[in-house]
Every structure is written in structure tokens, then in C-alpha cells.
Amino acid sequence: MPTSQNLISYLIALYARKDTVIGSLLRTLPLNPTTRQVLSLTYNEQLTYLQKLWDFNQTYRRLEPTDASSLYAGQKTAGFLRRFNQLPCTLATRRARADLLSGRDLESSRILILGDDDLLSVELSKRGFKQVAVADCDPVLLDRIRRETADCPTPPRIILADFHKLDQLKEVADVVILDPPYSTEGATAFLKLAISLAAPQATMYMMVNPNVLGAAYQELNAKAVQSGFRLTARREGFNAYPIGAIPSLTMRLAWWHYMRLPLRKTAGRELCFFSDCFEFVRG
């Protein structure tokens, strides 16, 4: 009789196959794009990702609660279904992102944020940056940013945009910050837009977990290099994103299945997804 772990392995393998009826049915499950992307990886890629995720969470649990708290409450679906696949980072992560721009001129620095469920535009506006533009496809999120920066001397310029339509934005930015979705199509759309709007000497900060993207990350990196950017820094584990109850259970089951971690060892803790910060400079 097959064990439960063998059954899970079999179903995961079927999910990745395009030529089976069961695989097609499994792919109709309402999984978020990040989970779908992880399931599309090879077994060894999945194992590497989960090991690094476990290592990160071992470190993350030692953070102060105030720094590790989420920016705002998750959806009522316990994180299983997320509006526009949004996953806000921690307060500490948002502050650390803003710190990357320390030393830049508050008056003249043209800053563009592509996708801002992390509310970085709010942080930067409160720190006094005068030329912040934020583009997102979610009108509800943009309304929130508008409310939270209403008392700032210079609120950010807010742009409702679909990143798959590159002609919607006419910005030129000295700094472009992007935290793209975890699908090849979504990440590519974000990067193409960032490249097209970056000034000749611009700095680009891309927040991604290369272990989730797999081979697609190398394609993104090559695209940036071909467009005149060079990688100047990689800050590993820079971004932390608290996840909901259902994704936490999924993560715990994955650790149990792939790494044989007992469920009792991973219980009773808030879990986080993480990504690295890749800094590129053009020219």
C-alpha cells in the first residue's frame, strides 16, 4: 500500500505533466500563482527552495514582534485566495527598502514603484521624497495609498495601470522598485516596464526569490544585462512576507513531505515567505 508521502509525490508529478487528464484537473485548483510556480519546478528545485525557506524562517522567528508584524491584515480567505496575488511585507522590510534610498536628494530624485501592496510609497512620502510615483492595477490599494498620504506635504503621484500594456506609462525614473508576481509572464511584464521607464543612469531594485522562479530568473537577469544594467548587489533574505493560515499549513505539509520535518516541529509559529533584493545600475 502506498504511503501518504508517496501519494503526494505522485500527485505533484501529475500536476506538472501536460499529457494527463488528472494533471489537467489538478491544475484547475484555485491555487495562487506562487504555489503554481513552485509546483512547476523540478523536484530538486523544489527541495532547494523549501530548505532555504526553512532556514529563513528559523532566523525570522528571532525578530522582534513589532518588526515582524504584517503591514495590514490579510484577506478573510486566510491567505488562500489573494486579491491580485498580493502579499504585503513586514513593517521592518518596508523601512529597510526606504533605507536603500538614504542619501538621495529628496527634491530631485524621481522614484517609481511598480506594484505597491507593501505601501513603500507611503513610507517614502512620509520621509519627504517629493517625486514619488506609484503604479498599480488595484484601485482599492491605490485609494488606500491616497488616504494614508493625504497629510504629506507632497503625496505620491498615483497611476492606475495594467503592466501588460507598456504604453500606459510615460514616466522616466532615477530609481525603479519592483516586487513582481511569481509567474514568468508577470515577472517579465514588470521587468520590461521597469527597463523601459528607467533613466540612463538609473538604479533598479528588484525583489524576487530566484529559487521560486527557477530558470526564469536567469532569463530575467539576462534581460536586465542586455538592456544595459549591471548587478551591483544582492541582499539575500532582505524581504519578509507573513502568510495566512492556509498557506502556512501548505508550507508545513511541504516541509513534512520533502524534508521529513515533523508537523509538530513547525506548529505554533508565524511563517513567512521571503525574497532577495537585487540592485542593478544602468550604464
Side-chain angles (χ1 to χ4, degrees), residues 113-132:
I113 303 168
L114 300 179
D116 196 24
D117 56 322
D118 303 309
L119 306 181
L120 178 59
S121 59
V122 176
E123 183 78 23
L124 293 175
S125 295
K126 289 183 176 180
R127 293 191 184 196
F129 283 94
K130 307 297 185 186
Q131 297 194 51
V132 177

Side-chain angles (χ1 to χ4, degrees), residues 15-84:
Y15 181 95
R17 290 184 59 179
K18 309 298 183 184
D19 58 343
T20 66
V21 174
I22 295 178
S24 298
L25 291 173
L26 290 172
R27 287 190 294 276
T28 65
L29 292 173
L31 303 176
N32 64 62
T34 304
T35 302
R36 290 183 183 277
Q37 176 63 26
V38 171
L39 288 174
S40 73
L41 300 174
T42 66
Y43 176 85
N44 287 336
E45 288 172 336
Q46 291 171 346
L47 186 59
T48 297
Y49 160 66
L50 289 167
Q51 181 63 62
K52 291 192 174 184
L53 193 60
W54 170 252
D55 293 341
F56 176 83
N57 275 276
Q58 289 292 92
T59 302
Y60 166 78
R61 67 185 302 199
R62 293 192 290 270
L63 291 176
E64 292 296 325
T66 54
D67 287 336
S69 59
S70 181
L71 283 169
Y72 50 90
Q75 302 295 317
K76 293 182 179 180
T77 51
F80 185 53
L81 297 174
R82 301 196 298 265
R83 182 179 176 85
F84 297 110

Side-chain angles (χ1 to χ4, degrees), residues 7 9 18 24 46 65 68 82 92 101 168 176 191 197 200 207 209 217 231 257 273 276 283:
L7 178 59
S9 295
K18 309 298 183 184
S24 298
Q46 291 171 346
R82 301 196 298 265
L101 278 61
Q168 287 187 321
V176 184
L191 182 61
L197 302 176
M207 315 299 174
N209 186 320
Y217 169 72
L231 180 64
H257 170 64
F273 179 72
D276 301 340

